Amino acid sequence: MSSGIVIAIIVVVVLIVLAVGVWMAVRRRHLRERFGPEYERAVEAGDSRTAAERDLRAREQRHDDLDLKPLPSSARQQYAQEWNSVQEHFVDRPQEAVGEADQLVTRLMKERGYPTEGYEQQVKDLSVEHGRTLEHYRAAHEVNARAGGQQTTTEELRGAMVHYRALFDDLLTNGDRPGQQRA
């Protein structure tokens, strides 16, 4: 084999390796931008970066298959009124209000088209469009889970309400992405 052919083969291999590297970097950047802090959480929790990215792409695929819909203005107003009512209940019954907030957020998710069959799946489904508020949901859910056993302080319950509110607001505005119009 001539040295010209060997050089040509090496150049082709290098170009292929570079193209694959660029392609992987673009995919990684897309996942980081789409999932926000959830990207790093998935990488830290996963066996490897590749496995975490595979999981995040599977979440995207499942999310794309969901029949998500924006809320009509009247429904958004109704949910906002219900949220105000839950907040008013907090003054006299903080523990119950946190439970009501959880139920309201779950109802809102369901009306938007998110499956609500289990907390872990809810988190995965929400992570695609609501990754930046997902930590709020996790924190609120954890406090709500402990609230049933009287293991929470009023300050923790107040914090849970604030956390639920962050996800509630994000869902209520239809999770608009930049450039999308609100209904």
Side-chain angles (χ1 to χ4, degrees):
M1 212 184 302
S2 74
S3 61
I5 292 176
V6 172
I7 291 173
I9 291 173
I10 292 173
V11 168
V12 168
V13 168
V14 168
L15 289 175
I16 290 172
V17 168
L18 284 174
V20 168
V22 167
W23 177 73
M24 290 177 67
V26 167
R27 280 186 10 176
R28 181 168 292 152
R29 185 172 44 117
H30 162 77
L31 291 172
R32 279 189 170 141
E33 289 172 359
R34 178 108 195 235
F35 286 90
E38 186 65 14
Y39 174 87
E40 292 303 327
R41 182 182 179 87
V43 168
E44 289 173 15
D47 295 333
S48 69
R49 182 175 300 275
T50 303
E53 290 175 353
R54 189 177 315 117
D55 175 56
L56 293 173
R57 284 191 305 278
R59 292 183 198 187
E60 276 185 315
Q61 181 60 49
R62 176 179 160 93
H63 184 272
D64 290 346
D65 293 341
L66 297 176
D67 184 23
L68 299 179
K69 53 196 166 287
L71 293 175
S73 180
S74 60
R76 286 198 315 267
Q77 289 171 353
Q78 178 63 36
Y79 275 106
Q81 289 172 351
E82 288 183 54
W83 181 263
N84 289 336
S85 177
V86 169
Q87 284 183 303
E88 289 170 4
H89 294 160
F90 185 83
V91 174
D92 296 321
R93 301 180 339 248
Q95 195 168 346
E96 290 85 0
V98 169
E100 291 172 18
D102 181 70
Q103 291 171 0
L104 184 59
V105 166
T106 301
R107 271 193 13 245
L108 177 55
M109 288 179 353
K110 187 171 187 158
E111 188 166 343
R112 290 281 320 279
Y114 287 99
T116 57
E117 68 265 5
Y119 171 72
E120 290 301 323
Q121 189 60 53
Q122 287 175 350
V123 167
K124 287 182 178 184
D125 290 339
L126 289 169
S127 70
V128 178
E129 282 191 19
H130 305 280
R132 285 167 177 66
T133 55
L134 203 51
E135 272 310 305
H136 290 286
Y137 185 48
R138 284 188 176 102
H141 180 79
E142 187 271 327
V143 170
N144 187 39
R146 288 189 297 117
Q150 307 288 333
Q151 302 170 3
T152 53
T153 65
T154 303
E155 186 58 26
E156 288 175 311
L157 294 169
R158 185 200 65 74
M161 291 294 290
V162 170
H163 290 306
Y164 275 126
R165 178 63 187 246
L167 179 60
F168 177 83
D169 285 344
D170 203 23
L171 286 165
L172 195 64
T173 59
N174 299 322
D176 293 337
R177 292 185 204 131
Q180 281 187 321
Q181 295 296 319
R182 293 186 181 169

